[in-house]
């Protein structure tokens, strides 16, 4: 006789929510096994609800990574928070990420209150356990358990691959029975040009501080296949605009004699070549879109 559970197939959606920079995107990538979302040490790296699909024999889990929830200071901030709320209203299970290397704070309490009304069960995920001692993890688990009503609490490390599989099992248990939603091998809905733009933004975020990370937006203008006559056969030419909000920021991004922009271009190109599996020529231009984060028209143009 076969165990009935063995024949059940589950499918559905989970989303990761939490403050900025707590490791949501890194965790999604670890689960999916591919870099679907960009990651950085700067807060508010993620600006859209990005889907990553994980397929195994008994289940298909669609993870929706969301922007960090924070007190909005700009129109962009408000739109990102709305996006997170819409997302968590639509999923089967919510993963609330709380990093072990930071104390539970007012930002977490605010999110916990928002989640109290959610229809879906909430799994508290303690991220970055590799960054602290065991004692600290234990203290944090206690603080998290006192913060609200959780369906489960799972400590993980995406970087050291600790308990990522356990978390997956826990999330899958909360999915309804149903067939796969995506064909096997499908890892994301993100269009290729968006993933390319994001890799450029990720490279540009490295090493910039304060307000500047928030001011950067990237748009792919054109992707040109080589002429078959061309000597540089096979090299895809990508033209992209990197927007900042002020003239003064332009200088920082470009750097002395263009040195910084060159570095950003080289890092981005390597990531894009890995993604596409082919050679790429990247033509990157820095432009000013004045105060775009606060301007509804420009936000629309940049895809928010
Ligand atoms: N030590 C350690 N660092 C981690 C881990 N997961 C993520 N990080 C780091 O935490 C920082 C933020 O990671 P992200 O995945 O971009 O965080 P996020 O929550 O998606 O951030 P936003 O998109 O800005 O909301 C990066 O520098 C990561 O390398 C982990 O398991 N261990
Ligand atoms: Mg993120």
């Amino acid at each position: 006789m076969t165990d009935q559970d063995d024949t059940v197939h589950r499918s559905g959606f989970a989303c990761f929510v939490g403050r900025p920079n707590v490791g949501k995107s890194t965790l999604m990538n670890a689960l999916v096994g591919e870099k679907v979302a960009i990651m950085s040490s700067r807060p508010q790296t993620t600006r859209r609800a990005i889907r990553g699909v994980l397929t195994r024999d008994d289940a298909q889990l669609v993870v929706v990574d969301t922007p960090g929830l924070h007190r909005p200071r700009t129109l962009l901030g408000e739109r990102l928070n709305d996006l997170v709320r819409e997302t968590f209203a639509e999923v089967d299970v919510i993963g609330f990420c709380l990093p072990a290397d930071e104390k539970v704070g007012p930002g977490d309490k605010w999110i916990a209150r928002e989640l109290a009304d959610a229809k879906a069960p909430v799994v508290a995920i303690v991220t970055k356990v590799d960054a602290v001692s065991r004692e600290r993890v234990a203290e944090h688990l206690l603080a998290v358990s006192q913060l609200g009503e959780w369906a489960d609490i799972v400590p993980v490390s995406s970087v050291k691959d600790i308990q990522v599989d356990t978390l997956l099992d826990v999330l899958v248990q909360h999915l309804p029975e149903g067939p796969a939603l995506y064909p096997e091998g499908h890892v994301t809905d993100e269009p290729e040009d968006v993933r390319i733009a994001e890799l450029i933004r990720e490279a540009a975020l490295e090493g910039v501080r304060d307000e500047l990370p928030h001011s950067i937006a990237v748009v792919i203008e054109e992707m040109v296949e080589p002429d078959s006559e061309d000597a540089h056969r096979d090299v895809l030419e990508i033209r992209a605009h990197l927007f900042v909000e002020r003239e003064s920021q332009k200088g920082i991004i470009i750097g002395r004699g263009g040195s910084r922009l060159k570095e950003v271009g080289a890092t981005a190109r390597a990531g894009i070549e890995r993604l596409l599996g082919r050679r790429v020529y990247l033509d990157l231009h820095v432009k000013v879109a004045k105060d775009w984060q606060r301007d509804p028209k420009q936000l629309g143009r940049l895809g928010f």
Side-chain angles (χ1 to χ4, degrees), residues 24-25 38 45-46 65-66:
K24 300 178 293 298
S25 298
I38 62 164
T45 300
T46 305
D65 177 28
T66 68

Side-chain angles (χ1 to χ4, degrees), residues 18-27 29 38-47 65-69 97 101 127-131 156-161:
R19 284 184 289 112
N21 215 32
V22 297
K24 300 178 293 298
S25 298
T26 309
L27 183 55
N29 292 341
I38 62 164
M39 306 159 277
S40 91
S41 56
R42 304 283 146 232
Q44 272 179 272
T45 300
T46 305
R47 289 180 177 159
D65 177 28
T66 68
L69 269 174
C97 297
D101 62 349
T127 55
K128 309 191 188 182
V129 296
D130 61 282
V156 300
S157 164
S158 313
V159 169
K160 295 275 162 73
D161 193 14

Side-chain angles (χ1 to χ4, degrees), residues 44-59:
Q44 272 179 272
T45 300
T46 305
R47 289 180 177 159
R48 47 180 80 241
I50 299 173
R51 284 182 183 187
V53 184
L54 196 151
T55 307
R56 58 183 209 190
D57 284 346
D58 63 333

Side-chain angles (χ1 to χ4, degrees), residues 23-281:
K24 300 178 293 298
S25 298
T26 309
L27 183 55
M28 173 170 86
N29 292 341
L31 278 166
V32 173
E34 186 173 316
K35 183 156 148 188
V36 171
I38 62 164
M39 306 159 277
S40 91
S41 56
R42 304 283 146 232
Q44 272 179 272
T45 300
T46 305
R47 289 180 177 159
R48 47 180 80 241
I50 299 173
R51 284 182 183 187
V53 184
L54 196 151
T55 307
R56 58 183 209 190
D57 284 346
D58 63 333
Q60 188 172 67
L61 174 70
V62 184
V63 180
V64 188
D65 177 28
T66 68
L69 269 174
H70 60 288
R71 201 178 294 280
R73 276 172 306 177
T74 62
L75 187 58
L76 173 66
E78 280 170 37
R79 292 207 177 157
L80 296 186
N81 281 1
D82 289 346
L83 174 71
V84 178
R85 291 200 188 89
E86 281 162 29
T87 307
F88 75 61
E90 287 169 358
V91 296
D92 301 297
V93 56
I94 297 167
F96 177 17
C97 297
L98 302 114
D101 62 349
E102 287 173 46
K103 285 222 154 88
V104 169
D108 298 312
K109 288 181 183 147
W110 177 65
I111 297 172
R113 279 196 299 275
E114 293 268 325
L115 290 176
D117 302 329
K119 282 195 298 283
V122 180
V123 174
I125 303 169
V126 170
T127 55
K128 309 191 188 182
V129 296
D130 61 282
V132 295
S133 67
R134 275 164 185 273
E135 292 74 39
R136 181 68 204 108
V137 172
E139 273 170 38
H140 193 66
L141 286 170
L142 184 64
V144 168
S145 70
Q146 288 164 348
L147 185 63
E149 295 275 330
W150 316 124
D152 277 290
I153 304 184
V154 186
V156 300
S157 164
S158 313
V159 169
K160 295 275 162 73
D161 193 14
I162 301 169
Q163 292 237 109
V164 174
D165 284 341
T166 309
L167 174 66
L168 176 59
D169 288 337
V170 168
L171 295 173
V172 164
Q173 277 165 25
H174 291 288
L175 301 183
E177 281 181 36
L181 305 164
Y182 289 95
E184 203 177 330
H186 182 102
V187 290
T188 185
D189 288 348
E190 289 293 285
E192 202 163 72
D193 63 329
V194 172
R195 290 180 81 181
I196 291 168
E198 287 285 88
L199 288 170
I200 297 170
R201 191 163 63 87
E202 183 181 57
L205 285 175
E206 220 34 72
V208 296
R209 293 188 327 216
D210 305 325
E211 287 306 300
L212 188 47
H214 306 279
S215 296
I216 298 172
V218 177
V219 174
I220 304 298
E221 290 295 317
E222 218 180 357
M223 300 215 263
V224 188
E225 288 291 346
D227 288 339
S228 45
E229 310 291 302
D230 203 319
H232 301 285
R233 247 203 265 238
D234 250 24
V235 181
L236 176 70
E237 185 175 336
I238 300 175
R239 300 206 185 102
H241 287 166
L242 195 162
F243 289 100
V244 289
E245 295 193 287
R246 286 184 293 280
E247 214 41 61
S248 58
Q249 295 175 326
K250 208 170 150 179
I252 302 175
I253 290 289
I254 293 172
R256 254 180 187 228
S259 57
R260 215 181 150 267
L261 187 63
K262 216 166 149 193
E263 249 170 60
V264 168
T267 307
R269 186 166 57 82
I272 297 166
E273 290 187 337
R274 216 172 299 129
L275 172 68
L276 302 180
R278 64 184 289 192
R279 286 177 58 205
V280 160
Y281 171 77

